[in-house]
Amino acid sequence: MIDRHTEAVRIWRLNFLLSTTTLSAAGAELKALGLVGKEFFVLDGIEDHPSPAGLAGSLSMSKPNLTMHLKALQARGLIDRSVDQADLRRHRLVLSDLGRELRDKARGIVTAKYEDTLQKLSAPERENFMRLLEKLVLD
């Protein structure tokens, strides 16, 4: 029997490995779409976190690093920035139609790679895995 700390470390590392191997498998296809590095995560997170500060926090990304990605995405016409009418000191991020289309294609790629991995689990195991993740993340 392993102690709780060792168990937590192992679970964390396995979860991280699952994410990184999935993204690595999707890397070439994401690059073919013109997305590099964390740009997929930035595009994917904008609708849930439309403020730069909120998005940076949700992605565990420094504000200067996020700003670099936002400028690149904006220059490509994938996102728009506007002043938040509720607080004129803040900006609001919005996906352009092109950005939404690219995000959806990228999500499809990442989802397909994740699905390939999930095929190793039976239907009941997948259901249980989803339930456990929801309990950890959403509760």
Side-chain angles (χ1 to χ4, degrees):
M1 178 180 243
I2 60 176
D3 65 84
R4 289 172 56 118
H5 175 76
T6 303
E7 181 182 60
V9 169
R10 182 159 185 213
I11 291 169
W12 177 86
R13 292 185 75 205
L14 288 169
N15 188 52
F16 182 74
L17 185 60
L18 176 60
S19 296
T20 56
T21 55
T22 300
L23 290 172
S24 180
E29 290 177 72
L30 292 176
K31 188 174 182 178
L33 291 178
L35 291 175
V36 295
K38 297 180 181 177
E39 289 177 347
F40 165 69
F41 294 109
V42 173
L43 283 178
D44 192 55
I46 286 176
E47 288 181 339
D48 290 333
H49 304 282
S51 77
L55 184 58
S58 76
L59 296 175
S60 298
M61 189 181 290
S62 70
K63 290 178 186 176
N65 196 18
L66 176 65
T67 298
M68 176 188 69
H69 291 299
L70 292 174
K71 285 182 179 181
L73 294 170
Q74 189 173 16
R76 292 176 52 203
L78 301 174
I79 65 167
D80 295 311
R81 283 194 217 208
S82 61
V83 175
D84 188 336
Q85 295 304 310
D87 183 346
L88 300 177
R89 298 168 295 170
R90 293 179 176 225
H91 285 92
R92 184 168 177 77
L93 304 168
V94 178
L95 290 174
S96 67
D97 290 341
L98 183 60
R100 193 171 292 104
E101 181 181 325
L102 186 63
R103 187 263 335 256
D104 291 348
K105 286 179 184 177
R107 271 186 185 170
I109 291 166
V110 173
T111 299
K113 298 303 180 188
Y114 203 75
E115 176 63 31
D116 290 347
T117 301
L118 290 175
Q119 288 299 316
K120 297 174 185 175
L121 301 177
S122 67
E125 287 172 329
R126 287 172 67 138
E127 197 172 305
N128 192 42
F129 184 57
M130 182 172 59
R131 203 170 24 257
L132 291 170
L133 287 172
E134 287 172 341
K135 183 176 183 176
L136 292 173
V137 176
L138 300 178
D139 283 353

